[in-house]
Amino acid sequence: MTTSHLGRLAMAAIIAAMILVPVIQASEESLNLVSLILIWALFAIGFDLIFGMAGMLSFGHAALFGSGGYALTLLVTKAGVGFLPALGAAGIVGAIMAFGLSIFALRVSGLFFSLLTLALAQLVYILASTKLRNYTGGLDGIPGVPRPELFGIDFYNNRNFYYFLIVVFIVGLAVMALLRASPFGKALKAVQANDVRAAQIGYNVQRLRQCGFMVSGFYAGVSGALLASLMFYISPQMLHWTTSGDVLIMTVLGGKGTLLGPILGVAVFEVLKEKLSQYTQHWYGILGLIFILCTIFLPNGLAGLFARKAAGRPGDAP
């Protein structure tokens, strides 16, 4: 059995386990934890499209994540737009924000690209915290972010909303799998491997990077909107650079450049965060230490370790 087959089996097992969570009458705390994992996993697989596939390390994804959350909140509460159209609009806002950031950030590469995305995202954070407080609520944020009203189902019931998250997650996962296997995904891999040669054989490298950034921004916007709805609340903290750091740690921990890796990374990160925070307020430092050890001893992340152990030989992560 190849590692790709093992990866599909692992993915099917993860999805089946997620579907069974409410069936086994999990506690509200467990349901909330897995809901967070679903939302952050959607964010992480979108982030990995440019980080793992195109080799672009963005420190500015918090701006795309938070913008999606604010877009849904304002559209539903202020403009009276329905939840599903607002959710789609949140993704579009994330993609538009990514397009705006890419106009400046793609003028440079490497470390300078990372620092420029960080600076631009912090600018968005400051604007939301101060200058735009009439719309964003400033540092106090906006409470009362609604949930969908569909087919007479009460999505304020956490179990019903959990199934809604599963549907969105599976659709997002399937679309991302198709994108990664498409000529577009292979072109992004070619750009990561050698952007000079990719340009020489006819790829428009900047256009590919910009398109990848926008698709990643769409995923970030949708996941930010879902998190705001899950928590009934949004604040500028979603736009802070630490949010970008969290999704980076999750992706590296699970294994960048894979579809399974970011999901594993999110699950491990959220579970450790939940457990460690019960014993110490310095849980973030412990997570940082785990992240450092992982980058040293598991360069391909947990997905790479899983592939080697399952296949009984070194191999590419699924």
Side-chain angles (χ1 to χ4, degrees):
M1 185 177 291
T2 65
T3 52
S4 61
H5 288 135
L6 289 170
R8 293 191 190 100
L9 283 176
M11 196 72 72
I14 290 172
I15 293 172
M18 288 178 170
I19 292 173
L20 287 174
V21 167
V23 177
I24 60 175
Q25 297 299 315
S27 65
E28 287 294 318
E29 290 78 12
S30 300
L31 203 61
N32 185 66
L33 175 62
V34 186
S35 297
L36 285 172
I37 291 172
L38 284 171
I39 293 171
W40 278 93
L42 195 64
F43 186 18
I45 63 175
F47 174 75
D48 189 64
L49 181 69
I50 64 159
F51 177 48
M53 294 285 285
M56 301 158 61
L57 176 54
S58 166
F59 285 139
H61 262 52
L64 318 179
F65 188 64
S67 296
Y70 276 110
L72 178 130
T73 302
L74 295 175
L75 284 172
V76 175
T77 60
K78 304 294 183 184
V81 177
F83 187 91
L84 285 184
L87 184 62
I92 293 172
V93 168
I96 293 173
M97 285 290 292
F99 176 75
L101 293 183
S102 69
I103 290 175
F104 302 99
L106 288 178
R107 294 177 182 276
V108 294
S109 60
L111 178 61
F112 299 104
F113 170 81
S114 303
L115 293 177
L116 192 51
T117 55
L118 173 62
L120 292 170
Q122 281 302 96
L123 178 62
V124 175
Y125 167 76
I126 293 170
L127 286 174
S129 304
T130 57
K131 301 297 183 183
L132 299 176
R133 67 167 66 89
N134 289 338
Y135 303 99
T136 63
L139 292 174
D140 294 332
I142 303 174
V145 180
R147 287 184 179 178
E149 297 177 4
L150 300 170
F151 312 116
I153 300 173
D154 178 18
F155 284 103
Y156 286 86
N157 179 302
N158 289 333
R159 292 180 190 278
N160 293 339
F161 189 63
Y162 177 80
Y163 281 119
F164 176 78
L165 291 177
I166 285 182
V167 171
V168 176
F169 174 75
I170 291 176
V171 171
L173 185 66
V175 171
M176 183 56 68
L178 291 174
L179 273 177
R180 294 172 71 98
S182 71
F184 172 69
K186 292 174 182 175
L188 287 179
K189 290 285 285 183
V191 169
Q192 181 190 28
N194 192 318
D195 56 349
V196 175
R197 288 189 179 180
Q200 288 174 341
I201 62 176
Y203 287 124
N204 187 328
V205 173
Q206 289 297 83
R207 185 65 58 82
L208 280 169
R209 285 173 170 162
Q210 194 166 48
C211 289
F213 208 72
M214 290 176 67
V215 172
S216 185
F218 184 90
Y219 273 74
V222 169
S223 51
L226 292 174
L227 183 62
S229 186
L230 173 71
M231 299 172 65
F232 303 112
Y233 176 71
I234 185 169
S235 77
Q237 185 60 36
M238 284 178 67
L239 297 160
H240 198 260
W241 68 268
T242 52
T243 301
S244 300
D246 285 349
V247 76
L248 171 63
I249 292 174
M250 292 168 176
T251 306
V252 172
L253 187 63
K256 69 182 180 72
T258 68
L259 197 56
L260 178 63
I263 301 171
L264 290 176
V266 168
V268 171
F269 183 97
E270 287 295 335
V271 171
L272 285 176
K273 175 183 170 183
E274 175 72 18
K275 298 301 180 186
L276 291 174
S277 61
Q278 295 176 3
Y279 297 102
T280 174
Q281 58 179 336
H282 304 297
W283 59 269
Y284 211 96
I286 299 174
L287 272 179
L289 179 62
I290 294 172
F291 173 68
I292 293 171
L293 293 175
C294 183
T295 54
I296 295 174
F297 297 106
L298 293 174
N300 293 323
L302 298 172
L305 177 65
F306 166 77
R308 288 198 301 273
K309 293 293 184 185
R313 59 179 173 77
D316 295 331

PDB file of all heavy atoms in Angstrom, residues 224-250:
ATOM      1  N   GLY A 224     -12.409  32.430   9.277  1.00  0.00           N
ATOM      2  CA  GLY A 224     -12.557  33.512  10.255  1.00  0.00           C
ATOM      3  C   GLY A 224     -14.018  33.803  10.546  1.00  0.00           C
ATOM      4  O   GLY A 224     -14.402  34.044  11.702  1.00  0.00           O
ATOM      5  N   ALA A 225     -14.846  33.774   9.513  1.00  0.00           N
ATOM      6  CA  ALA A 225     -16.286  34.000   9.702  1.00  0.00           C
ATOM      7  C   ALA A 225     -16.907  32.886  10.548  1.00  0.00           C
ATOM      8  O   ALA A 225     -17.738  33.140  11.430  1.00  0.00           O
ATOM      9  CB  ALA A 225     -16.972  34.075   8.334  1.00  0.00           C
ATOM     10  N   LEU A 226     -16.497  31.653  10.301  1.00  0.00           N
ATOM     11  CA  LEU A 226     -17.040  30.526  11.078  1.00  0.00           C
ATOM     12  C   LEU A 226     -16.615  30.604  12.541  1.00  0.00           C
ATOM     13  O   LEU A 226     -17.403  30.285  13.448  1.00  0.00           O
ATOM     14  CB  LEU A 226     -16.564  29.199  10.458  1.00  0.00           C
ATOM     15  CG  LEU A 226     -17.137  28.863   9.083  1.00  0.00           C
ATOM     16  CD1 LEU A 226     -16.475  27.610   8.524  1.00  0.00           C
ATOM     17  CD2 LEU A 226     -18.650  28.659   9.162  1.00  0.00           C
ATOM     18  N   LEU A 227     -15.368  31.043  12.791  1.00  0.00           N
ATOM     19  CA  LEU A 227     -14.916  31.157  14.182  1.00  0.00           C
ATOM     20  C   LEU A 227     -15.708  32.236  14.921  1.00  0.00           C
ATOM     21  O   LEU A 227     -16.092  32.045  16.080  1.00  0.00           O
ATOM     22  CB  LEU A 227     -13.422  31.480  14.220  1.00  0.00           C
ATOM     23  CG  LEU A 227     -12.821  31.559  15.627  1.00  0.00           C
ATOM     24  CD1 LEU A 227     -12.945  30.205  16.336  1.00  0.00           C
ATOM     25  CD2 LEU A 227     -11.354  31.988  15.585  1.00  0.00           C
ATOM     26  N   ALA A 228     -15.952  33.353  14.259  1.00  0.00           N
ATOM     27  CA  ALA A 228     -16.744  34.416  14.892  1.00  0.00           C
ATOM     28  C   ALA A 228     -18.142  33.914  15.224  1.00  0.00           C
ATOM     29  O   ALA A 228     -18.700  34.213  16.292  1.00  0.00           O
ATOM     30  CB  ALA A 228     -16.811  35.628  13.969  1.00  0.00           C
ATOM     31  N   SER A 229     -18.721  33.124  14.327  1.00  0.00           N
ATOM     32  CA  SER A 229     -20.062  32.591  14.549  1.00  0.00           C
ATOM     33  C   SER A 229     -20.065  31.556  15.667  1.00  0.00           C
ATOM     34  O   SER A 229     -21.001  31.501  16.464  1.00  0.00           O
ATOM     35  CB  SER A 229     -20.594  31.981  13.248  1.00  0.00           C
ATOM     36  OG  SER A 229     -21.928  31.590  13.389  1.00  0.00           O
ATOM     37  N   LEU A 230     -19.025  30.733  15.716  1.00  0.00           N
ATOM     38  CA  LEU A 230     -18.939  29.727  16.783  1.00  0.00           C
ATOM     39  C   LEU A 230     -18.863  30.385  18.155  1.00  0.00           C
ATOM     40  O   LEU A 230     -19.502  29.954  19.116  1.00  0.00           O
ATOM     41  CB  LEU A 230     -17.704  28.840  16.568  1.00  0.00           C
ATOM     42  CG  LEU A 230     -17.388  27.850  17.693  1.00  0.00           C
ATOM     43  CD1 LEU A 230     -18.429  26.734  17.724  1.00  0.00           C
ATOM     44  CD2 LEU A 230     -15.993  27.253  17.528  1.00  0.00           C
ATOM     45  N   MET A 231     -18.081  31.485  18.241  1.00  0.00           N
ATOM     46  CA  MET A 231     -17.842  32.139  19.530  1.00  0.00           C
ATOM     47  C   MET A 231     -18.872  33.224  19.843  1.00  0.00           C
ATOM     48  O   MET A 231     -18.842  33.812  20.919  1.00  0.00           O
ATOM     49  CB  MET A 231     -16.440  32.754  19.525  1.00  0.00           C
ATOM     50  CG  MET A 231     -15.320  31.739  19.341  1.00  0.00           C
ATOM     51  SD  MET A 231     -13.721  32.532  19.116  1.00  0.00           S
ATOM     52  CE  MET A 231     -13.508  33.305  20.714  1.00  0.00           C
ATOM     53  N   PHE A 232     -19.758  33.527  18.876  1.00  0.00           N
ATOM     54  CA  PHE A 232     -20.736  34.626  19.021  1.00  0.00           C
ATOM     55  C   PHE A 232     -20.024  35.953  19.273  1.00  0.00           C
ATOM     56  O   PHE A 232     -20.597  36.866  19.882  1.00  0.00           O
ATOM     57  CB  PHE A 232     -21.729  34.366  20.165  1.00  0.00           C
ATOM     58  CG  PHE A 232     -22.497  33.082  20.047  1.00  0.00           C
ATOM     59  CD1 PHE A 232     -22.279  32.045  20.932  1.00  0.00           C
ATOM     60  CD2 PHE A 232     -23.450  32.917  19.046  1.00  0.00           C
ATOM     61  CE1 PHE A 232     -22.989  30.865  20.828  1.00  0.00           C
ATOM     62  CE2 PHE A 232     -24.162  31.739  18.945  1.00  0.00           C
ATOM     63  CZ  PHE A 232     -23.933  30.715  19.828  1.00  0.00           C
ATOM     64  N   TYR A 233     -18.797  36.096  18.826  1.00  0.00           N
ATOM     65  CA  TYR A 233     -18.017  37.288  19.197  1.00  0.00           C
ATOM     66  C   TYR A 233     -16.835  37.438  18.243  1.00  0.00           C
ATOM     67  O   TYR A 233     -16.270  36.449  17.774  1.00  0.00           O
ATOM     68  CB  TYR A 233     -17.501  37.128  20.633  1.00  0.00           C
ATOM     69  CG  TYR A 233     -16.596  38.233  21.107  1.00  0.00           C
ATOM     70  CD1 TYR A 233     -17.086  39.505  21.375  1.00  0.00           C
ATOM     71  CD2 TYR A 233     -15.235  38.002  21.303  1.00  0.00           C
ATOM     72  CE1 TYR A 233     -16.242  40.524  21.822  1.00  0.00           C
ATOM     73  CE2 TYR A 233     -14.389  39.010  21.752  1.00  0.00           C
ATOM     74  CZ  TYR A 233     -14.907  40.264  22.005  1.00  0.00           C
ATOM     75  OH  TYR A 233     -14.083  41.270  22.434  1.00  0.00           O
ATOM     76  N   ILE A 234     -16.481  38.675  17.979  1.00  0.00           N
ATOM     77  CA  ILE A 234     -15.272  38.936  17.187  1.00  0.00           C
ATOM     78  C   ILE A 234     -14.567  40.158  17.764  1.00  0.00           C
ATOM     79  O   ILE A 234     -15.216  41.102  18.235  1.00  0.00           O
ATOM     80  CB  ILE A 234     -15.602  39.163  15.700  1.00  0.00           C
ATOM     81  CG1 ILE A 234     -14.306  39.305  14.906  1.00  0.00           C
ATOM     82  CG2 ILE A 234     -16.522  40.361  15.486  1.00  0.00           C
ATOM     83  CD1 ILE A 234     -14.508  39.268  13.405  1.00  0.00           C
ATOM     84  N   SER A 235     -13.239  40.113  17.762  1.00  0.00           N
ATOM     85  CA  SER A 235     -12.441  41.233  18.258  1.00  0.00           C
ATOM     86  C   SER A 235     -11.199  41.359  17.382  1.00  0.00           C
ATOM     87  O   SER A 235     -10.875  40.444  16.608  1.00  0.00           O
ATOM     88  CB  SER A 235     -12.041  40.985  19.718  1.00  0.00           C
ATOM     89  OG  SER A 235     -10.979  40.054  19.781  1.00  0.00           O
ATOM     90  N   PRO A 236     -10.452  42.479  17.498  1.00  0.00           N
ATOM     91  CA  PRO A 236      -9.229  42.640  16.693  1.00  0.00           C
ATOM     92  C   PRO A 236      -8.169  41.585  16.979  1.00  0.00           C
ATOM     93  O   PRO A 236      -7.199  41.488  16.219  1.00  0.00           O
ATOM     94  CB  PRO A 236      -8.742  44.040  17.095  1.00  0.00           C
ATOM     95  CG  PRO A 236      -9.950  44.760  17.546  1.00  0.00           C
ATOM     96  CD  PRO A 236     -10.786  43.713  18.230  1.00  0.00           C
ATOM     97  N   GLN A 237      -8.334  40.800  18.048  1.00  0.00           N
ATOM     98  CA  GLN A 237      -7.348  39.750  18.327  1.00  0.00           C
ATOM     99  C   GLN A 237      -7.234  38.780  17.149  1.00  0.00           C
ATOM    100  O   GLN A 237      -6.167  38.209  16.905  1.00  0.00           O
ATOM    101  CB  GLN A 237      -7.760  38.990  19.596  1.00  0.00           C
ATOM    102  CG  GLN A 237      -6.743  37.939  20.049  1.00  0.00           C
ATOM    103  CD  GLN A 237      -5.380  38.523  20.368  1.00  0.00           C
ATOM    104  OE1 GLN A 237      -5.287  39.633  20.884  1.00  0.00           O
ATOM    105  NE2 GLN A 237      -4.316  37.786  20.040  1.00  0.00           N
ATOM    106  N   MET A 238      -8.337  38.598  16.413  1.00  0.00           N
ATOM    107  CA  MET A 238      -8.270  37.710  15.242  1.00  0.00           C
ATOM    108  C   MET A 238      -7.350  38.272  14.169  1.00  0.00           C
ATOM    109  O   MET A 238      -6.896  37.537  13.286  1.00  0.00           O
ATOM    110  CB  MET A 238      -9.672  37.494  14.664  1.00  0.00           C
ATOM    111  CG  MET A 238     -10.531  36.541  15.483  1.00  0.00           C
ATOM    112  SD  MET A 238     -12.200  36.350  14.801  1.00  0.00           S
ATOM    113  CE  MET A 238     -11.843  35.522  13.255  1.00  0.00           C
ATOM    114  N   LEU A 239      -7.095  39.596  14.214  1.00  0.00           N
ATOM    115  CA  LEU A 239      -6.234  40.226  13.225  1.00  0.00           C
ATOM    116  C   LEU A 239      -4.792  40.338  13.695  1.00  0.00           C
ATOM    117  O   LEU A 239      -3.925  40.788  12.938  1.00  0.00           O
ATOM    118  CB  LEU A 239      -6.755  41.642  12.916  1.00  0.00           C
ATOM    119  CG  LEU A 239      -8.146  41.744  12.296  1.00  0.00           C
ATOM    120  CD1 LEU A 239      -8.703  43.141  12.516  1.00  0.00           C
ATOM    121  CD2 LEU A 239      -8.082  41.437  10.808  1.00  0.00           C
ATOM    122  N   HIS A 240      -4.537  39.959  14.938  1.00  0.00           N
ATOM    123  CA  HIS A 240      -3.206  40.139  15.520  1.00  0.00           C
ATOM    124  C   HIS A 240      -2.197  39.159  14.922  1.00  0.00           C
ATOM    125  O   HIS A 240      -2.571  38.064  14.483  1.00  0.00           O
ATOM    126  CB  HIS A 240      -3.288  39.951  17.038  1.00  0.00           C
ATOM    127  CG  HIS A 240      -2.124  40.509  17.779  1.00  0.00           C
ATOM    128  ND1 HIS A 240      -1.086  39.728  18.229  1.00  0.00           N
ATOM    129  CD2 HIS A 240      -1.815  41.789  18.128  1.00  0.00           C
ATOM    130  CE1 HIS A 240      -0.202  40.485  18.845  1.00  0.00           C
ATOM    131  NE2 HIS A 240      -0.607  41.748  18.807  1.00  0.00           N
ATOM    132  N   TRP A 241      -0.916  39.545  14.952  1.00  0.00           N
ATOM    133  CA  TRP A 241       0.108  38.705  14.325  1.00  0.00           C
ATOM    134  C   TRP A 241       0.222  37.332  14.988  1.00  0.00           C
ATOM    135  O   TRP A 241       0.682  36.368  14.351  1.00  0.00           O
ATOM    136  CB  TRP A 241       1.464  39.409  14.350  1.00  0.00           C
ATOM    137  CG  TRP A 241       2.069  39.568  15.728  1.00  0.00           C
ATOM    138  CD1 TRP A 241       1.941  40.619  16.571  1.00  0.00           C
ATOM    139  CD2 TRP A 241       2.900  38.618  16.408  1.00  0.00           C
ATOM    140  NE1 TRP A 241       2.619  40.394  17.742  1.00  0.00           N
ATOM    141  CE2 TRP A 241       3.230  39.180  17.670  1.00  0.00           C
ATOM    142  CE3 TRP A 241       3.407  37.351  16.083  1.00  0.00           C
ATOM    143  CZ2 TRP A 241       4.034  38.508  18.591  1.00  0.00           C
ATOM    144  CZ3 TRP A 241       4.212  36.684  17.009  1.00  0.00           C
ATOM    145  CH2 TRP A 241       4.511  37.266  18.243  1.00  0.00           C
ATOM    146  N   THR A 242      -0.190  37.222  16.269  1.00  0.00           N
ATOM    147  CA  THR A 242      -0.114  35.921  16.932  1.00  0.00           C
ATOM    148  C   THR A 242      -1.032  34.891  16.263  1.00  0.00           C
ATOM    149  O   THR A 242      -0.753  33.695  16.303  1.00  0.00           O
ATOM    150  CB  THR A 242      -0.481  36.053  18.422  1.00  0.00           C
ATOM    151  OG1 THR A 242      -1.744  36.731  18.534  1.00  0.00           O
ATOM    152  CG2 THR A 242       0.569  36.834  19.174  1.00  0.00           C
ATOM    153  N   THR A 243      -2.107  35.365  15.646  1.00  0.00           N
ATOM    154  CA  THR A 243      -2.980  34.442  14.903  1.00  0.00           C
ATOM    155  C   THR A 243      -2.228  33.853  13.707  1.00  0.00           C
ATOM    156  O   THR A 243      -2.336  32.658  13.416  1.00  0.00           O
ATOM    157  CB  THR A 243      -4.246  35.176  14.430  1.00  0.00           C
ATOM    158  OG1 THR A 243      -4.938  35.693  15.565  1.00  0.00           O
ATOM    159  CG2 THR A 243      -5.170  34.247  13.669  1.00  0.00           C
ATOM    160  N   SER A 244      -1.455  34.700  13.026  1.00  0.00           N
ATOM    161  CA  SER A 244      -0.627  34.201  11.916  1.00  0.00           C
ATOM    162  C   SER A 244       0.412  33.209  12.434  1.00  0.00           C
ATOM    163  O   SER A 244       0.704  32.191  11.781  1.00  0.00           O
ATOM    164  CB  SER A 244       0.082  35.371  11.226  1.00  0.00           C
ATOM    165  OG  SER A 244      -0.843  36.304  10.711  1.00  0.00           O
ATOM    166  N   GLY A 245       0.971  33.502  13.626  1.00  0.00           N
ATOM    167  CA  GLY A 245       1.949  32.586  14.213  1.00  0.00           C
ATOM    168  C   GLY A 245       1.331  31.244  14.554  1.00  0.00           C
ATOM    169  O   GLY A 245       1.953  30.189  14.353  1.00  0.00           O
ATOM    170  N   ASP A 246       0.099  31.264  15.061  1.00  0.00           N
ATOM    171  CA  ASP A 246      -0.567  30.006  15.422  1.00  0.00           C
ATOM    172  C   ASP A 246      -0.758  29.094  14.211  1.00  0.00           C
ATOM    173  O   ASP A 246      -0.468  27.898  14.266  1.00  0.00           O
ATOM    174  CB  ASP A 246      -1.927  30.301  16.059  1.00  0.00           C
ATOM    175  CG  ASP A 246      -1.800  30.815  17.481  1.00  0.00           C
ATOM    176  OD1 ASP A 246      -0.691  30.742  18.043  1.00  0.00           O
ATOM    177  OD2 ASP A 246      -2.806  31.312  18.027  1.00  0.00           O
ATOM    178  N   VAL A 247      -1.241  29.656  13.110  1.00  0.00           N
ATOM    179  CA  VAL A 247      -1.500  28.801  11.942  1.00  0.00           C
ATOM    180  C   VAL A 247      -0.179  28.309  11.338  1.00  0.00           C
ATOM    181  O   VAL A 247      -0.109  27.202  10.789  1.00  0.00           O
ATOM    182  CB  VAL A 247      -2.368  29.556  10.902  1.00  0.00           C
ATOM    183  CG1 VAL A 247      -1.570  30.585  10.129  1.00  0.00           C
ATOM    184  CG2 VAL A 247      -3.011  28.561   9.941  1.00  0.00           C
ATOM    185  N   LEU A 248       0.883  29.094  11.483  1.00  0.00           N
ATOM    186  CA  LEU A 248       2.197  28.642  11.015  1.00  0.00           C
ATOM    187  C   LEU A 248       2.685  27.461  11.851  1.00  0.00           C
ATOM    188  O   LEU A 248       3.146  26.445  11.302  1.00  0.00           O
ATOM    189  CB  LEU A 248       3.193  29.804  11.084  1.00  0.00           C
ATOM    190  CG  LEU A 248       4.656  29.438  10.830  1.00  0.00           C
ATOM    191  CD1 LEU A 248       4.825  28.905   9.406  1.00  0.00           C
ATOM    192  CD2 LEU A 248       5.564  30.643  11.055  1.00  0.00           C
ATOM    193  N   ILE A 249       2.571  27.589  13.181  1.00  0.00           N
ATOM    194  CA  ILE A 249       3.008  26.504  14.065  1.00  0.00           C
ATOM    195  C   ILE A 249       2.204  25.233  13.782  1.00  0.00           C
ATOM    196  O   ILE A 249       2.747  24.136  13.689  1.00  0.00           O
ATOM    197  CB  ILE A 249       2.849  26.924  15.541  1.00  0.00           C
ATOM    198  CG1 ILE A 249       3.840  28.040  15.876  1.00  0.00           C
ATOM    199  CG2 ILE A 249       3.050  25.730  16.464  1.00  0.00           C
ATOM    200  CD1 ILE A 249       3.657  28.618  17.268  1.00  0.00           C
ATOM    201  N   MET A 250       0.889  25.386  13.629  1.00  0.00           N
ATOM    202  CA  MET A 250       0.033  24.227  13.355  1.00  0.00           C
ATOM    203  C   MET A 250       0.475  23.510  12.081  1.00  0.00           C
ATOM    204  O   MET A 250       0.558  22.276  12.032  1.00  0.00           O
ATOM    205  CB  MET A 250      -1.420  24.681  13.191  1.00  0.00           C
ATOM    206  CG  MET A 250      -2.067  25.194  14.463  1.00  0.00           C
ATOM    207  SD  MET A 250      -3.632  26.031  14.081  1.00  0.00           S
ATOM    208  CE  MET A 250      -4.229  26.429  15.719  1.00  0.00           C
TER     209      MET A 250
END
